[in-house]
Amino acid sequence: MRIYRVLLMPILCCVLLSGCWDRIEINDLAIVLATGIDYEDGKVQLTSQIFIPRKASAGDSSGSGGSPSGVTMIRTAEGRTIAEALNRLQRKVPRNMFWGHCEVIIISEQAGKRGIREYIDFFLRYPQFREHAYVFSSEKAAKDILALLDPLERSSAESLREMANLKLGTRVTALELAKSIEGPSSSAILSRMLILPRSPIRIN
């Protein structure tokens, strides 16, 4: 009888243990580093900056639709709502988009004039999205900001994150922005990103 009890315990443990039947390999994911929101011709444009692991390791700087670093690629889709734009954006990417590493949100001035409550509310309700992602405003199109590259960083997402950590402007997260909008003042302050012309090098 004791032998049966000894054999029964491992069998019960095997039954109760959960398996990995629903796992998703990292090679099947498109990791989003930053996202931008624009509004043109009555439609919301959603742009994502996606990490390219192979090019990050190989150092290849070529590629269609990528940033100058070759470490990221930019994809844009539009829709009547941000949810529709996200659905169409996923259709342009062959892998399942993962938003858990998205650290930067850029909202263009044109999109912000329609109100930012819809955008922030959507991101905070989205299961994968980080509520501590930094939010910026931009004078030009957000997709143009994401296409820029700082010589010291691998992507514009890393550049903006470092600038926020250095407190060079107003550091606001998505959660803090949502609280400000819903607060008594119903207002918020965001750092505004500008694209400056390249200055020529002069040697005296």
Side-chain angles (χ1 to χ4, degrees):
M1 192 68 179
R2 187 175 180 181
I3 297 177
Y4 289 126
R5 291 181 180 177
V6 173
L7 293 176
L8 184 61
M9 289 301 296
I11 294 174
L12 290 176
C13 291
C14 292
V15 172
L16 296 176
L17 289 175
S18 60
C20 299
W21 58 272
D22 61 343
R23 72 183 186 275
I24 300 177
E25 299 291 343
I26 191 171
N27 292 334
D28 297 330
L29 297 177
I31 301 175
V32 180
L33 301 179
T35 185
I37 304 173
D38 297 302
Y39 188 81
E40 294 182 10
D41 300 327
K43 291 186 177 181
V44 178
Q45 291 187 348
L46 185 65
T47 302
S48 64
Q49 184 180 86
I50 302 173
F51 180 64
I52 307 177
R54 289 181 301 176
K55 289 192 176 182
S57 60
D60 185 6
S61 61
S62 62
S64 176
S67 70
S69 66
V71 180
T72 61
M73 69 178 186
I74 306 296
R75 291 293 182 268
T76 302
E78 63 180 20
R80 291 170 296 179
T81 63
I82 189 170
E84 182 179 355
L86 178 60
N87 183 270
R88 293 183 176 180
L89 184 61
Q90 177 62 77
R91 298 178 187 178
K92 294 186 176 183
V93 181
R95 298 183 179 183
N96 185 29
M97 298 182 68
F98 179 70
W99 296 81
H101 286 284
C102 184
E103 298 179 319
V104 173
I105 306 173
I106 303 177
I107 303 176
S108 69
E109 191 174 282
Q110 194 67 23
K113 289 180 180 179
R114 297 183 63 252
I116 60 178
R117 189 188 305 269
E118 172 191 354
Y119 311 132
I120 299 301
D121 181 71
F122 175 82
F123 283 128
L124 291 179
R125 292 177 186 273
Y126 198 74
Q128 297 178 352
F129 204 81
R130 300 178 60 176
E131 59 185 19
H132 296 297
Y134 296 122
V135 185
F136 299 90
S137 174
S138 64
E139 180 184 23
K140 302 294 184 180
K143 57 186 177 183
D144 295 338
I145 299 291
L146 293 179
L148 295 176
L149 176 67
D150 190 311
L152 296 177
E153 304 294 346
R154 295 185 302 172
S155 66
S156 56
E158 289 189 10
S159 300
L160 293 173
R161 179 175 57 83
E162 292 298 329
M163 291 172 65
N165 290 332
L166 291 173
K167 298 182 180 180
L168 298 178
T170 304
R171 187 172 66 176
V172 180
T173 65
L175 182 59
E176 292 171 345
L177 180 58
K179 291 180 178 179
S180 299
I181 296 174
E182 298 297 335
S185 63
S186 299
S187 61
I189 300 176
L190 296 176
S191 294
R192 189 182 188 193
M193 310 306 297
L194 302 175
I195 301 179
L196 300 178
R198 181 177 299 179
S199 301
I201 300 177
R202 296 182 179 179
I203 301 177
N204 296 326

